[in-house]
Amino acid sequence: MTAQLQAQLGRRLQADAGLSFADFDVLVALSERDGPLRVQELADGLQWEKSRLSHHLARMQKRGLVERQDCPDDARGAFIVLSADGRRAIEQAAPAHVEAVRSLVFDGLDDRQVEAWAAISDEVLARVERDRAVGS
C-alpha cells in the first residue's frame, strides 16, 4: 500500500506541479524552517543519506528551487535555503497535494478508522524509534 500510494501521489505531484516526491519533501522541510539548514540537518530530518541528498540538491539548485550559501563558521560547510522559485513551487503544489492525500486516504475512512490508523502509526513509529536507539 505504501509503495502504491507514494507512487500515485508522486505521479500527481509531477503532473500538477512538475515536482518529484523527493523535490516536494525537500521543499516542505525547507519551507517549515525559519532560516537556512545545513545539509546534514536536512538529511537527518528527511531520513536520507547525505550523499543522496547532496546529489538531489545539486539537481534542485540547477532548476532554481534551492540555493547554497557558504557557512561562515566552516569553510567546507554549506547552508541550504529555499529560493524564491522554490517557495512559489511549494506554495503552488501544496494545496493539490493535500487534496490528493485527502481524496486517496482520508475521504474513504470514517472517524473510527482514522483514529485506529493514528494509533497504529504511533505504535509502529515508537517501535522504529526503539529499534533505532538499540541499533545505534
Side-chain angles (χ1 to χ4, degrees):
M1 180 204 71
T2 302
Q4 289 183 31
L5 178 60
Q6 283 187 322
Q8 184 60 20
L9 289 171
R11 285 188 285 273
R12 284 194 178 188
L13 268 172
Q14 190 65 51
D16 294 343
L19 297 173
S20 69
F21 213 105
D23 293 337
F24 187 79
D25 285 344
V26 170
L27 293 175
V28 166
L30 291 172
S31 70
E32 289 176 345
R33 177 68 180 233
D34 196 25
L37 273 174
R38 283 192 173 274
V39 174
Q40 188 62 57
E41 288 177 288
L42 185 55
D44 291 345
L46 293 170
Q47 299 289 301
W48 290 12
E49 294 295 323
K50 189 176 175 186
S51 62
R52 173 189 177 200
L53 179 59
S54 292
H55 289 292
H56 195 80
L57 289 172
R59 291 188 297 273
M60 290 180 75
Q61 187 176 8
K62 285 180 187 174
R63 293 168 43 218
L65 298 172
V66 299
E67 297 171 354
R68 288 183 185 265
Q69 296 177 346
D70 291 334
C71 177
D73 301 335
D74 180 0
R76 296 177 302 149
F79 288 112
I80 303 300
V81 296
L82 196 59
S83 68
D85 286 346
R87 181 156 309 280
R88 275 191 295 279
I90 192 65
E91 288 172 353
Q92 290 173 355
H97 181 67
V98 168
E99 179 54 36
V101 170
R102 184 178 294 119
S103 70
L104 291 172
V105 179
F106 294 103
D107 286 351
L109 303 175
D110 62 30
D111 290 344
R112 183 184 54 77
Q113 290 170 317
V114 171
E115 289 171 13
W117 185 329
I120 291 166
S121 297
D122 288 346
E123 179 58 29
V124 170
L125 289 172
R127 288 172 177 264
V128 168
E129 189 59 37
R130 285 192 298 271
D131 188 67
R132 187 177 2 181
V134 169
S136 297

